[in-house]
């Protein structure tokens, strides 16, 4: 089974509460648009897109498409396990884009890179693209790409 899992942290959002209602700043909108332009070039047409119901995550995803699935299990405070379960990693195959939050996505990234001990810092608006491929009878996970909006 070949599968790609792309982690996209929501772009910059205003401070405040309630947390789930925080919206993107003007900078956050620009960050989302830059990454969305990249995704339009590289994301397969049939990719599944799972988005946290938090306003900032929905707005980030909306810069790319309105065709996404809200996934309450990946809301702020979700576990890395919940994100991997929602994506059906590594068994689903195909490509899944997850738009979510720190520190959850950083914990997912660390686990995919082989560490259950810590979480990685994923910058606001950044993409981390992982691939799983069968090689000589064993599954291998590769980090294919990390990109932040300021490099677009």
């Amino acid at each position: 089974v070949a599968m790609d899992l792309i982690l996209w942290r929501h772009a910059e959002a205003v401070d405040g509460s309630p947390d789930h209602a925080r919206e993107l700043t003007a900078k956050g909108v620009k960050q989302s648009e830059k990454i969305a332009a990249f995704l339009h070039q590289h994301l397969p047409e049939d990719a599944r897109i799972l988005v946290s119901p938090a306003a900032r995550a929905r707005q980030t995803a909306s810069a790319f498409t309105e065709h996404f699935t809200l996934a309450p299990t990946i809301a702020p405070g979700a576990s890395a396990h919940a994100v991997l379960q929602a994506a059906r990693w590594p068994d689903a195959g195909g490509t899944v884009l997850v738009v979510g939050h720190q520190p959850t996505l950083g914990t997912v990234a660390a686990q995919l890179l082989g560490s259950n001990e810590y979480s990685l810092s994923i910058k606001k608006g950044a993409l981390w693209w992982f691939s799983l491929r069968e090689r000589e009878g064993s599954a291998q996970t590769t980090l294919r790409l990390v990109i932040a909006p300021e490099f677009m």
Side-chain angles (χ1 to χ4, degrees):
V1 172
M3 183 170 179
D4 285 351
L5 178 61
I6 304 157
L7 307 177
W8 187 8
R9 183 180 177 192
H10 69 79
E12 183 182 274
V14 298
D15 291 327
S17 60
D19 181 64
H20 69 277
R22 291 171 45 215
E23 298 201 344
L24 296 184
T25 61
K27 178 182 178 184
V29 171
K30 284 195 181 86
Q31 289 173 333
S32 298
E33 289 168 349
K34 287 178 177 180
I35 296 295
F38 173 85
L39 288 170
H40 280 295
Q41 291 181 315
H42 299 284
L43 196 70
E45 291 283 316
D46 62 351
R48 290 188 297 129
I49 303 170
L50 304 176
V51 179
S52 159
R56 59 196 181 274
R58 293 194 323 262
Q59 286 179 303
T60 297
S62 292
F64 175 64
T65 183
E66 291 300 328
H67 301 284
F68 56 77
T69 302
L70 287 179
T73 58
I74 66 170
S79 68
H81 176 75
V83 170
L84 293 170
Q85 216 169 23
R88 301 198 321 267
W89 175 271
D91 303 317
T95 301
V96 179
L97 171 65
V98 174
V99 184
H101 308 273
Q102 273 295 91
T104 306
L105 294 183
T107 304
V108 171
Q111 287 182 9
L112 294 179
L113 292 172
S115 175
N116 293 319
E117 302 302 313
Y118 60 91
S119 177
L120 295 167
S121 176
I122 295 181
K123 293 182 65 132
K124 289 183 178 99
L127 269 189
W128 287 51
W129 190 315
F130 293 89
S131 291
L132 179 80
R133 302 282 180 271
E134 289 282 333
R135 298 247 193 285
E136 295 158 20
S138 69
Q140 296 181 343
T141 301
T142 305
L143 177 58
R144 292 183 60 195
L145 173 85
V146 174
I147 196 148
E150 63 263 31
F151 289 96
M152 303 300 288

